[in-house]
Amino acid sequence: MPFPKGLPAQAILDSLADGVFTVDPQWNVTFFNRAAARITGIEPDEALGRKCWEVFRSSLCDGGCALRACIQDGGTVVDQPIFIVRADGERVPVSISAAPLAAADGTPLGGVETFRDLTEIHLLRKAMEASYTFEDIVGKSPALEKLFAILPQVAASPSTALLTGESGTGKELFARALHNLSARKDGPFVAVNCGALPETLLESELFGYKAGAFTDARRDKPGRFDEAAGGTLFLDEIGDMPPALQVKLLRVLQDGTYRPLGDSAARRADVRVVAATNQDLEQLVAGGRFRNDLYYRLNVVRLRLPPLRERREDIPLLAAHFVRKFAALRGKPIQGLDQRALAALLDHPFPGNVRELENAIEFAFILCPGGLIRPEHLPEGLRPAPEAAPADDTPGPRTLEQAKCLAALGALERNAGRVMAACRELAISKDTLRRLLRRARELGLK
């Protein structure tokens, strides 16, 4: 569409809040509006005539240039999130759109790219996500909110706490939260995996030993109870503790004293014990593999950590948290997951819980070059099945079921992958939304 007569194109483009620049077929910048100067920190006079990658230093300039792909393929890019580097070195999140330019006779003239500063949106998103973080625990599900509500009171108590839950649910994170919220927060937090060591080594690891206690004991060695003095001792996988050590741990919990190997004098244990297990201790007690009296000593305060399948609304928050974590560790310009990848995560049962999700994001960082993580970047077990070819070329949905599936996909996309927001828009439950998304993939709908 031509510009209205009497209005210069320069004035119109300079009035836009979005940055706009154009390049010729040799990638020289031929136009650079005022918003582009404001966002990049480079004046138009400095940008004109330079190669676009010298001016617009982005996370795609080393490969996967959106503008180059548009010019070569004749297509367009709309609202692709990337990072650019300002003249002062600051990284700025932007959303870019690009298209080729051609004369009326089809002669290529170069390309045009617009970009929008997303800094304020990113800050608002971080502020929102921060409200869903308790210590280092990320989530907003009702199951976690119940735990968050009582953690401060449990932390303030000196009583022994028992954390139960499947492997990968974050038991050590909760133990650290109890420590950090307690009066012992300035003391040490010491963790011991009771299932990782044989009985003889675990005893000396916990209680220490005196020189000469056994053949290789050439000098005194403090145990973990010594190291945790004034703080918290976290005993992970307590269900794997050998019976003989269960007796000694019971003594510590009963009278607050213990003896290092080879020592005749008892020592005072100034620690708060937090134990954790992924086993059913009541079944172990019934089977004679765990002491009944020790179980009740440990089970003063019991917190059950829900598996990830019971708090699926936390998956987008956790995924975003892990993306930020690995982006900082790896230095990769990855901003998040696209709608299809997020839908694949929401549809996965996650038997490995939060740890499996973290590993999946770490794997995706290996394959994803930048921008958004797509389904093909996920581990094979999480990738959605290949979309089935449509039965015919009839446009639009042919059945009520297809219409519902398309509505679910559209709502999830409009709400940037936020499941609860999509559910509210459609007035359906989370289970119904997940069923529609699963059925949409089976039907090959996009």
Side-chain angles (χ1 to χ4, degrees), residues 169-216:
T169 49
K171 292 185 284 293
E172 184 167 344
L173 273 181
F174 276 85
R176 287 185 181 275
L178 289 175
H179 172 74
N180 293 336
L181 294 169
S182 73
R184 294 176 173 268
K185 63 181 182 299
D186 294 328
F189 176 89
V190 178
V192 180
N193 189 325
C194 299
L197 295 172
E199 180 177 347
T200 53
L201 290 180
L202 181 58
E203 181 175 3
S204 63
E205 186 74 15
L206 286 175
F207 304 113
Y209 55 78
K210 298 290 289 183
F214 47 87
T215 303
D216 293 328

Side-chain angles (χ1 to χ4, degrees), residues 332 362-369 376-378 383:
K332 267 194 170 182
E362 183 175 7
F363 179 90
F365 263 72
I366 297 173
L367 300 185
C368 181
E376 59 265 30
H377 301 142
L378 296 173
R383 298 172 191 168

